[in-house]
Amino acid sequence: MSNCAIVGINWGDEGKGRMVDLLTEKYDVVVRFQGGGNAGHTVINELGKFALHLLPSGIFRKGVVNILGNGVALDPENLWSEMQEVESNGVSLTPENLKISDRASLLLPWHRDLDELEELRLADKKYGSTKQGIAPFYSDKYQKKTILAGELFYPEELKSHLSDLMEWKNLTLTKVYGAKPYTMEMLENWISDYCEKIKPYICDTGSFLRKAQKEDKSILFEAQLGSLRDLDYGIHPYTTSSNTTAAYAPIGSGLPSARLDSIVGVVKAYSTCVGEGPFVCEMFGEEAEKLRKAGFEYGAKTGRPRRVGPVDIVATRYGVEVQAATEIALTKLDVLSYMDKIPVCTHYTLNGERTDSFPFPSALKNAEPEIEYFEGWKCDISGIRSWDDLPKAARDYVSYIEKAVGCPIKYISVGPERDSIIIRK
Ligand code: GDP
């Protein structure tokens, strides 16, 4: 048995979905352990192009069991529409290949409202939320003011629990935000329209995983977003509201005793960041627009243009350390092929001093990037499948990143398709 976590090293959107889709070949089980429908993993394979938000990226492989663990923000509405979309493209979903933890908390209809209302209240101080209700969901979860998926099997208790929560939440909605209150009828409709649809997939995934562990099955843990969005270790408060780090995988998956044999940290060959917050290496103007277009950097969930910049060695090294990555997958190297010279943010300058350490969040806005340029390769590398066939300039660029962040780069992707990958021995 070997367990692996696939995690983001930077601000998210590094290409984790494509790496899970590729590596699931070797695994029996794939578990999503945190986050919700607020990000998108893009997967392109023989069945088509998919933007997955909640479903684990192993859903396309026959024989792989996909689990939504207790750590996810389980949004029945989003999940149901995603399930229908995937099924309409020929992927069969059954309680055998998709299992939802009975201990996952439900993202309730008012969580989305509260996300939107709070961003409106914050106006120009907003966090840049995707308005999927994730922050209100996790704060309620830690207040124990959510419903567990397994409660759907206890309809009488569920109704009274929901009614208590509604009474409490209506106070905030009406008195704090002046919004409309919820009624039990609205909630009952929500249960029948969405929760009942996903109910057949809900089960005790903890006991399933413990059995899989005893049977020596291989488990892949799939994260959302990246190190710098981690609630505890990221660029607070511009983080997400859950832990995106590999260390959380055992807790959020339902297998707290899991040991991780390898941690694949996914790094993009340049930097992108969606939404607000400090982004030290950010590029602007025409240079940024060219890179954004070349990499098609627009949010999978929101369509928002992503902020872009050169690869950031300071942030990436920190991300690798926080994740305890054992190997790196460097994605989208092909996107840089148009550049004459490739910029790299090698250090930061903070208060007049050069630094290699990732600063405390409050200091980030004062950090300045130090940029060095590498030779470009100026040719199409998307058809290359071996390290030795890469142009020397591309190998030099990859080798520099590898040395600077202190972690071997095992995978290099040169296109979005499953097989557009160079695997180094
Ligand atoms: P994730 O959330 O980390 O899975 O990343 P996203 O799906 O948001 O963003 C990755 C995007 O890059 C997707 O549109 C992928 O299809 C695309 N992609 C992934 N790897 C490559 C690559 O090597 N080259 C190119 N050109 N695109 C890639």
Side-chain angles (χ1 to χ4, degrees):
M1 163 169 156
S2 99
N3 293 337
C4 169
I6 297 190
V7 293
I9 294 296
N10 304 115
W11 298 264
D13 306 314
E14 299 94 344
K16 294 172 293 295
R18 63 107 13 97
M19 289 310 299
V20 179
D21 179 59
L22 176 78
L23 297 178
T24 41
E25 201 178 7
K26 299 187 212 139
Y27 291 85
D28 303 300
V29 183
V30 179
V31 198
R32 270 282 308 267
F33 60 88
Q34 46 77 228
N38 52 332
H41 291 179
T42 312
V43 174
I44 301 177
N45 56 33
E46 70 278 4
L47 295 167
K49 179 172 179 176
F50 301 88
L52 299 177
H53 301 293
L54 262 167
L55 286 173
S57 309
I59 204 72
F60 306 105
R61 295 270 191 194
K62 289 223 161 59
V64 172
V65 178
N66 292 271
I67 294 182
L68 289 171
N70 48 279
V72 304
L74 185 64
D75 179 343
E77 191 175 334
N78 261 347
L79 178 60
W80 178 235
S81 75
E82 195 176 325
M83 286 168 71
Q84 287 175 296
E85 199 189 315
V86 165
E87 285 207 295
S88 71
N89 280 289
V91 180
S92 151
L93 299 178
T94 66
E96 273 62 55
N97 72 352
L98 176 64
K99 296 181 189 294
I100 301 171
S101 168
D102 56 359
R103 286 181 173 270
S105 293
L106 297 183
L107 188 136
L108 299 165
W110 48 68
H111 289 136
R112 232 187 298 274
D113 300 342
L114 288 166
D115 213 347
E116 178 124 33
L117 289 164
E118 181 57 11
E119 286 283 277
L120 270 173
R121 190 192 71 80
L122 285 167
D124 59 346
K125 290 189 175 162
K126 67 181 192 292
Y127 293 134
S129 162
T130 53
K131 299 183 190 145
Q132 296 298 310
I134 304 300
F137 163 85
Y138 277 108
S139 37
D140 282 0
K141 172 174 170 169
Y142 285 93
Q143 285 195 76
K144 301 160 290 176
K145 302 267 195 199
T146 50
I147 302 279
L148 298 182
E151 290 186 58
L152 293 171
F153 295 108
Y154 302 86
E156 283 315 308
E157 287 90 336
L158 170 68
K159 240 186 225 168
S160 107
H161 191 185
L162 253 182
S163 162
D164 290 347
L165 291 183
M166 182 186 76
E167 199 179 304
W168 169 73
K169 196 50 91 179
N170 278 345
L171 290 174
T172 312
L173 282 166
T174 58
K175 295 199 190 306
V176 176
Y177 293 106
K180 277 201 185 137
Y182 271 82
T183 62
M184 273 315 278
E185 193 191 343
M186 289 158 88
L187 296 177
E188 278 161 18
N189 287 340
W190 170 76
I191 291 176
S192 61
D193 289 348
Y194 305 112
C195 300
E196 288 297 330
K197 303 288 197 319
I198 63 165
K199 199 167 152 187
Y201 303 86
I202 299 170
C203 63
D204 180 356
T205 54
S207 84
F208 174 88
L209 283 166
R210 289 194 295 278
K211 187 160 170 279
Q213 191 179 40
K214 274 195 195 124
E215 291 169 356
D216 230 17
K217 297 269 201 286
S218 300
I219 305 169
L220 188 64
F221 300 92
E222 177 181 10
Q224 181 215 36
L225 296 166
S227 313
L228 304 169
R229 300 290 189 194
D230 182 274
L231 178 61
D232 290 273
Y233 300 100
I235 50 171
H236 181 85
Y238 301 99
T239 62
T240 194
S241 300
S242 62
N243 291 103
T244 59
T245 34
Y248 185 71
I251 299 283
S253 65
L255 193 61
S257 59
R259 294 253 172 85
L260 300 176
D261 303 293
S262 59
I263 299 172
V264 179
V266 186
V267 176
K268 207 181 276 190
Y270 52 94
S271 300
T272 62
C273 168
V274 176
E276 318 300 316
F279 183 39
V280 178
C281 67
E282 184 162 12
M283 292 188 333
F284 300 94
E286 200 183 318
E287 196 189 11
E289 197 50 36
K290 265 193 183 165
L291 180 54
R292 186 175 300 116
K293 280 209 178 110
F296 198 70
E297 295 299 347
Y298 303 90
K301 184 80 200 177
T302 57
R304 285 189 286 189
R306 292 175 182 150
R307 298 156 76 191
V308 296
V311 75
D312 180 334
I313 298 297
V314 182
T316 303
R317 190 187 301 111
Y318 174 73
V320 163
E321 285 170 2
V322 162
Q323 295 285 16
T326 56
E327 54 209 50
I328 286 179
L330 187 73
T331 59
K332 302 188 90 163
L333 189 66
D334 55 302
V335 170
L336 302 182
S337 299
Y338 75 91
M339 290 184 174
D340 294 323
K341 282 200 221 147
I342 312 221
V344 174
C345 170
T346 55
H347 305 272
Y348 291 172
T349 306
L350 189 59
N351 306 326
E353 284 190 24
R354 191 186 215 209
T355 180
D356 281 332
S357 307
F358 193 68
F360 184 76
S362 320
L364 270 171
K365 64 178 184 310
N366 299 324
E368 297 284 340
E370 201 173 296
I371 307 289
E372 268 181 38
Y373 288 87
F374 281 70
E375 249 346 274
W377 45 92
K378 295 286 281 177
C379 62
D380 181 8
I381 58 168
S382 59
I384 292 178
R385 298 290 176 266
S386 85
W387 172 251
D388 292 337
D389 291 342
L390 273 178
K392 182 174 179 304
R395 278 185 278 135
D396 286 349
Y397 179 69
V398 175
S399 301
Y400 170 79
I401 297 174
E402 179 172 72
K403 197 158 170 241
V405 304
C407 184
I409 296 179
K410 180 162 179 200
Y411 306 92
I412 300 160
S413 79
V414 289
E417 304 80 15
R418 189 184 271 173
D419 66 344
S420 300
I421 194 98
I422 296 168
I423 303 177
R424 288 168 80 195
K425 302 286 174 249

PDB file of all heavy atoms in Angstrom, residues 222-240:
ATOM      1  N   GLU A 222      -6.756  14.232  -2.395  1.00  0.00           N
ATOM      2  CA  GLU A 222      -6.776  15.352  -3.345  1.00  0.00           C
ATOM      3  C   GLU A 222      -7.152  16.648  -2.638  1.00  0.00           C
ATOM      4  O   GLU A 222      -8.219  16.751  -2.029  1.00  0.00           O
ATOM      5  CB  GLU A 222      -7.802  15.063  -4.451  1.00  0.00           C
ATOM      6  CG  GLU A 222      -7.937  16.203  -5.444  1.00  0.00           C
ATOM      7  CD  GLU A 222      -8.971  15.928  -6.546  1.00  0.00           C
ATOM      8  OE1 GLU A 222      -9.725  14.950  -6.444  1.00  0.00           O
ATOM      9  OE2 GLU A 222      -9.006  16.734  -7.492  1.00  0.00           O
ATOM     10  N   ALA A 223      -6.260  17.642  -2.750  1.00  0.00           N
ATOM     11  CA  ALA A 223      -6.521  18.926  -2.091  1.00  0.00           C
ATOM     12  C   ALA A 223      -7.075  19.934  -3.083  1.00  0.00           C
ATOM     13  O   ALA A 223      -6.958  19.773  -4.300  1.00  0.00           O
ATOM     14  CB  ALA A 223      -5.234  19.474  -1.502  1.00  0.00           C
ATOM     15  N   GLN A 224      -7.629  20.978  -2.532  1.00  0.00           N
ATOM     16  CA  GLN A 224      -8.109  22.092  -3.341  1.00  0.00           C
ATOM     17  C   GLN A 224      -7.253  23.306  -2.974  1.00  0.00           C
ATOM     18  O   GLN A 224      -6.712  23.373  -1.873  1.00  0.00           O
ATOM     19  CB  GLN A 224      -9.573  22.299  -2.928  1.00  0.00           C
ATOM     20  CG  GLN A 224     -10.300  23.388  -3.637  1.00  0.00           C
ATOM     21  CD  GLN A 224     -11.284  24.045  -2.686  1.00  0.00           C
ATOM     22  OE1 GLN A 224     -11.033  24.197  -1.502  1.00  0.00           O
ATOM     23  NE2 GLN A 224     -12.411  24.456  -3.218  1.00  0.00           N
ATOM     24  N   LEU A 225      -7.117  24.251  -3.893  1.00  0.00           N
ATOM     25  CA  LEU A 225      -6.323  25.477  -3.666  1.00  0.00           C
ATOM     26  C   LEU A 225      -4.856  25.146  -3.348  1.00  0.00           C
ATOM     27  O   LEU A 225      -4.381  24.109  -3.774  1.00  0.00           O
ATOM     28  CB  LEU A 225      -6.983  26.361  -2.608  1.00  0.00           C
ATOM     29  CG  LEU A 225      -8.364  26.876  -3.076  1.00  0.00           C
ATOM     30  CD1 LEU A 225      -9.165  27.459  -1.934  1.00  0.00           C
ATOM     31  CD2 LEU A 225      -8.205  27.920  -4.158  1.00  0.00           C
ATOM     32  N   GLY A 226      -4.143  26.008  -2.622  1.00  0.00           N
ATOM     33  CA  GLY A 226      -2.717  25.767  -2.417  1.00  0.00           C
ATOM     34  C   GLY A 226      -2.241  26.270  -1.057  1.00  0.00           C
ATOM     35  O   GLY A 226      -3.011  26.899  -0.311  1.00  0.00           O
ATOM     36  N   SER A 227      -0.945  26.032  -0.770  1.00  0.00           N
ATOM     37  CA  SER A 227      -0.373  26.388   0.548  1.00  0.00           C
ATOM     38  C   SER A 227      -0.710  27.811   0.978  1.00  0.00           C
ATOM     39  O   SER A 227      -0.985  28.072   2.150  1.00  0.00           O
ATOM     40  CB  SER A 227       1.150  26.343   0.500  1.00  0.00           C
ATOM     41  OG  SER A 227       1.628  25.190  -0.096  1.00  0.00           O
ATOM     42  N   LEU A 228      -0.638  28.741   0.012  1.00  0.00           N
ATOM     43  CA  LEU A 228      -0.767  30.154   0.385  1.00  0.00           C
ATOM     44  C   LEU A 228      -2.206  30.556   0.656  1.00  0.00           C
ATOM     45  O   LEU A 228      -2.484  31.664   1.107  1.00  0.00           O
ATOM     46  CB  LEU A 228      -0.135  31.037  -0.697  1.00  0.00           C
ATOM     47  CG  LEU A 228       1.334  30.668  -0.948  1.00  0.00           C
ATOM     48  CD1 LEU A 228       1.876  31.336  -2.177  1.00  0.00           C
ATOM     49  CD2 LEU A 228       2.188  30.998   0.269  1.00  0.00           C
ATOM     50  N   ARG A 229      -3.119  29.614   0.427  1.00  0.00           N
ATOM     51  CA  ARG A 229      -4.542  29.825   0.753  1.00  0.00           C
ATOM     52  C   ARG A 229      -4.947  29.040   1.999  1.00  0.00           C
ATOM     53  O   ARG A 229      -6.122  28.995   2.345  1.00  0.00           O
ATOM     54  CB  ARG A 229      -5.433  29.385  -0.398  1.00  0.00           C
ATOM     55  CG  ARG A 229      -5.203  30.107  -1.693  1.00  0.00           C
ATOM     56  CD  ARG A 229      -5.658  31.540  -1.620  1.00  0.00           C
ATOM     57  NE  ARG A 229      -5.607  32.140  -2.935  1.00  0.00           N
ATOM     58  CZ  ARG A 229      -5.696  33.444  -3.135  1.00  0.00           C
ATOM     59  NH1 ARG A 229      -5.814  34.288  -2.132  1.00  0.00           N
ATOM     60  NH2 ARG A 229      -5.656  33.931  -4.353  1.00  0.00           N
ATOM     61  N   ASP A 230      -3.987  28.371   2.634  1.00  0.00           N
ATOM     62  CA  ASP A 230      -4.312  27.600   3.826  1.00  0.00           C
ATOM     63  C   ASP A 230      -4.758  28.543   4.945  1.00  0.00           C
ATOM     64  O   ASP A 230      -4.144  29.600   5.157  1.00  0.00           O
ATOM     65  CB  ASP A 230      -3.072  26.811   4.275  1.00  0.00           C
ATOM     66  CG  ASP A 230      -3.361  25.943   5.481  1.00  0.00           C
ATOM     67  OD1 ASP A 230      -3.266  26.461   6.628  1.00  0.00           O
ATOM     68  OD2 ASP A 230      -3.689  24.761   5.287  1.00  0.00           O
ATOM     69  N   LEU A 231      -5.795  28.139   5.646  1.00  0.00           N
ATOM     70  CA  LEU A 231      -6.360  28.987   6.698  1.00  0.00           C
ATOM     71  C   LEU A 231      -5.314  29.390   7.743  1.00  0.00           C
ATOM     72  O   LEU A 231      -5.301  30.531   8.213  1.00  0.00           O
ATOM     73  CB  LEU A 231      -7.532  28.238   7.368  1.00  0.00           C
ATOM     74  CG  LEU A 231      -8.237  28.925   8.524  1.00  0.00           C
ATOM     75  CD1 LEU A 231      -8.866  30.244   8.098  1.00  0.00           C
ATOM     76  CD2 LEU A 231      -9.328  28.008   9.087  1.00  0.00           C
ATOM     77  N   ASP A 232      -4.436  28.465   8.109  1.00  0.00           N
ATOM     78  CA  ASP A 232      -3.450  28.760   9.152  1.00  0.00           C
ATOM     79  C   ASP A 232      -2.105  29.239   8.615  1.00  0.00           C
ATOM     80  O   ASP A 232      -1.405  29.969   9.295  1.00  0.00           O
ATOM     81  CB  ASP A 232      -3.213  27.513  10.015  1.00  0.00           C
ATOM     82  CG  ASP A 232      -4.410  27.198  10.882  1.00  0.00           C
ATOM     83  OD1 ASP A 232      -4.496  27.757  11.990  1.00  0.00           O
ATOM     84  OD2 ASP A 232      -5.286  26.444  10.431  1.00  0.00           O
ATOM     85  N   TYR A 233      -1.729  28.763   7.427  1.00  0.00           N
ATOM     86  CA  TYR A 233      -0.368  29.036   6.944  1.00  0.00           C
ATOM     87  C   TYR A 233      -0.313  29.968   5.737  1.00  0.00           C
ATOM     88  O   TYR A 233       0.763  30.281   5.249  1.00  0.00           O
ATOM     89  CB  TYR A 233       0.340  27.707   6.611  1.00  0.00           C
ATOM     90  CG  TYR A 233       0.414  26.829   7.827  1.00  0.00           C
ATOM     91  CD1 TYR A 233      -0.485  25.788   8.007  1.00  0.00           C
ATOM     92  CD2 TYR A 233       1.316  27.115   8.850  1.00  0.00           C
ATOM     93  CE1 TYR A 233      -0.470  25.017   9.158  1.00  0.00           C
ATOM     94  CE2 TYR A 233       1.344  26.360  10.004  1.00  0.00           C
ATOM     95  CZ  TYR A 233       0.440  25.315  10.152  1.00  0.00           C
ATOM     96  OH  TYR A 233       0.460  24.581  11.296  1.00  0.00           O
ATOM     97  N   GLY A 234      -1.480  30.396   5.272  1.00  0.00           N
ATOM     98  CA  GLY A 234      -1.542  31.201   4.061  1.00  0.00           C
ATOM     99  C   GLY A 234      -1.500  32.692   4.321  1.00  0.00           C
ATOM    100  O   GLY A 234      -1.067  33.157   5.385  1.00  0.00           O
ATOM    101  N   ILE A 235      -1.962  33.465   3.309  1.00  0.00           N
ATOM    102  CA  ILE A 235      -1.844  34.923   3.345  1.00  0.00           C
ATOM    103  C   ILE A 235      -3.078  35.538   4.021  1.00  0.00           C
ATOM    104  O   ILE A 235      -3.795  36.338   3.431  1.00  0.00           O
ATOM    105  CB  ILE A 235      -1.630  35.486   1.918  1.00  0.00           C
ATOM    106  CG1 ILE A 235      -2.678  34.931   0.926  1.00  0.00           C
ATOM    107  CG2 ILE A 235      -0.223  35.146   1.421  1.00  0.00           C
ATOM    108  CD1 ILE A 235      -2.659  35.606  -0.446  1.00  0.00           C
ATOM    109  N   HIS A 236      -3.278  35.153   5.262  1.00  0.00           N
ATOM    110  CA  HIS A 236      -4.408  35.604   6.071  1.00  0.00           C
ATOM    111  C   HIS A 236      -4.631  37.120   5.935  1.00  0.00           C
ATOM    112  O   HIS A 236      -3.681  37.858   6.016  1.00  0.00           O
ATOM    113  CB  HIS A 236      -4.105  35.263   7.540  1.00  0.00           C
ATOM    114  CG  HIS A 236      -5.193  35.651   8.480  1.00  0.00           C
ATOM    115  ND1 HIS A 236      -6.274  34.835   8.723  1.00  0.00           N
ATOM    116  CD2 HIS A 236      -5.388  36.771   9.203  1.00  0.00           C
ATOM    117  CE1 HIS A 236      -7.080  35.455   9.573  1.00  0.00           C
ATOM    118  NE2 HIS A 236      -6.569  36.620   9.880  1.00  0.00           N
ATOM    119  N   PRO A 237      -5.851  37.623   5.734  1.00  0.00           N
ATOM    120  CA  PRO A 237      -7.124  36.889   5.699  1.00  0.00           C
ATOM    121  C   PRO A 237      -7.552  36.518   4.277  1.00  0.00           C
ATOM    122  O   PRO A 237      -8.710  36.164   4.087  1.00  0.00           O
ATOM    123  CB  PRO A 237      -8.096  37.902   6.302  1.00  0.00           C
ATOM    124  CG  PRO A 237      -7.581  39.224   5.810  1.00  0.00           C
ATOM    125  CD  PRO A 237      -6.077  39.087   5.720  1.00  0.00           C
ATOM    126  N   TYR A 238      -6.631  36.583   3.323  1.00  0.00           N
ATOM    127  CA  TYR A 238      -7.014  36.280   1.938  1.00  0.00           C
ATOM    128  C   TYR A 238      -6.822  34.791   1.642  1.00  0.00           C
ATOM    129  O   TYR A 238      -6.341  34.405   0.585  1.00  0.00           O
ATOM    130  CB  TYR A 238      -6.211  37.156   0.971  1.00  0.00           C
ATOM    131  CG  TYR A 238      -6.449  38.615   1.226  1.00  0.00           C
ATOM    132  CD1 TYR A 238      -5.536  39.369   1.966  1.00  0.00           C
ATOM    133  CD2 TYR A 238      -7.615  39.236   0.787  1.00  0.00           C
ATOM    134  CE1 TYR A 238      -5.780  40.704   2.249  1.00  0.00           C
ATOM    135  CE2 TYR A 238      -7.869  40.561   1.058  1.00  0.00           C
ATOM    136  CZ  TYR A 238      -6.942  41.290   1.792  1.00  0.00           C
ATOM    137  OH  TYR A 238      -7.193  42.601   2.069  1.00  0.00           O
ATOM    138  N   THR A 239      -7.138  33.998   2.608  1.00  0.00           N
ATOM    139  CA  THR A 239      -7.002  32.551   2.474  1.00  0.00           C
ATOM    140  C   THR A 239      -8.393  31.971   2.237  1.00  0.00           C
ATOM    141  O   THR A 239      -9.381  32.691   2.224  1.00  0.00           O
ATOM    142  CB  THR A 239      -6.464  31.940   3.777  1.00  0.00           C
ATOM    143  OG1 THR A 239      -7.421  32.202   4.814  1.00  0.00           O
ATOM    144  CG2 THR A 239      -5.114  32.522   4.151  1.00  0.00           C
ATOM    145  N   THR A 240      -8.431  30.662   2.101  1.00  0.00           N
ATOM    146  CA  THR A 240      -9.733  30.023   2.156  1.00  0.00           C
ATOM    147  C   THR A 240     -10.004  29.695   3.628  1.00  0.00           C
ATOM    148  O   THR A 240      -9.220  30.056   4.508  1.00  0.00           O
ATOM    149  CB  THR A 240      -9.784  28.771   1.247  1.00  0.00           C
ATOM    150  OG1 THR A 240     -11.150  28.383   1.085  1.00  0.00           O
ATOM    151  CG2 THR A 240      -8.952  27.625   1.773  1.00  0.00           C
TER     152      THR A 240
END
